[in-house]
Amino acid sequence: MIEIIAIASFDGYGVSRDGRVWTKRNRWGLTDWREMKPLVHRKGYQRVCLYKMGSKKYRFIHRLVAEAFLGEVAPSMQINHINGIKTDNRVENLEICTCSQNIIHSRSVLGIGVGSRHGRSKLTESDIPAIRNSQESCVVCASRYGVSKSTIKAIRAGRIWRRVAA
């Protein structure tokens, strides 16, 4: 038998340790639980649509599971998927952490790259000093390197690619 914990702020909904969300259903005078089908957010996380007082509320499943089984989660805290799989919402795979801890985990444990090691990077570390020292306009420089004008401005202002010396 699956243990279902009621979701505190939504009547008639519950979550289980395996990361599934359930809704109560009354049929023929009996109450039973029915599993809800998750939606996939554009960033890859699963969420469900819950109703509260007639209005729709979308909630991420990993946050609902963490709140039910790991305790209250402050709004400033994040829920980390330990194995890096965004759809694995089992309570054993979740931990409450800060934003910086989540970033460190993604870089060190999961190997998500920074700078030119990032999979979608158009620039290399050797391009950055040339961009910073260039006297060309941002438009000309952006077309030369295949990036946007705002990217060139951010590099020159030191908002991105900070660790690369000029």
Side-chain angles (χ1 to χ4, degrees), residues 3-151:
E3 176 190 12
I4 298 175
I5 303 293
I7 298 174
S9 54
F10 293 92
D11 290 334
Y13 296 99
V15 292
S16 56
R17 293 185 70 81
D18 58 0
R20 295 186 289 171
V21 181
W22 303 81
T23 181
K24 272 189 183 174
R25 169 172 81 164
N26 293 322
R27 297 177 79 187
W28 304 294
L30 300 172
T31 302
D32 64 343
W33 290 97
R34 181 178 64 89
E35 183 180 354
M36 296 180 69
K37 183 178 179 182
L39 306 166
V40 179
H41 187 263
R42 62 184 167 83
K43 292 188 176 182
Y45 295 101
Q46 291 181 330
R47 63 183 183 162
V48 289
C49 179
L50 306 177
Y51 288 88
K52 184 175 185 177
M53 295 172 36
S55 64
K56 285 185 189 182
K57 305 286 184 186
Y58 288 95
R59 295 292 183 258
F60 288 109
I61 294 176
H62 61 275
R63 194 155 189 103
L64 293 172
V65 172
E67 288 171 350
F69 293 99
L70 300 178
E72 188 174 338
V73 180
S76 62
M77 300 299 278
Q78 295 183 354
I79 309 302
N80 181 30
H81 289 84
I82 297 169
N83 66 3
I85 301 171
K86 295 177 181 180
T87 56
D88 186 359
N89 296 311
R90 294 174 296 121
V91 71
E92 297 84 19
N93 186 44
L94 302 177
E95 66 181 357
I96 300 170
C97 64
T98 63
C99 179
S100 60
Q101 290 170 332
N102 208 355
I103 291 170
I104 290 167
H105 179 264
S106 68
R107 290 181 182 167
S108 62
V109 176
L110 303 178
I112 295 173
V114 180
S116 64
R117 292 186 311 262
H118 191 280
R120 293 184 295 192
S121 176
K122 294 180 181 179
L123 301 171
T124 64
E125 278 80 2
S126 62
D127 295 335
I128 304 307
I131 291 170
R132 287 192 180 135
N133 297 329
S134 173
Q135 298 301 314
E136 297 175 327
S137 70
C138 290
V139 175
V140 172
C141 204
S143 64
R144 173 180 299 185
Y145 290 101
V147 296
S148 68
K149 181 176 73 171
S150 61
T151 299

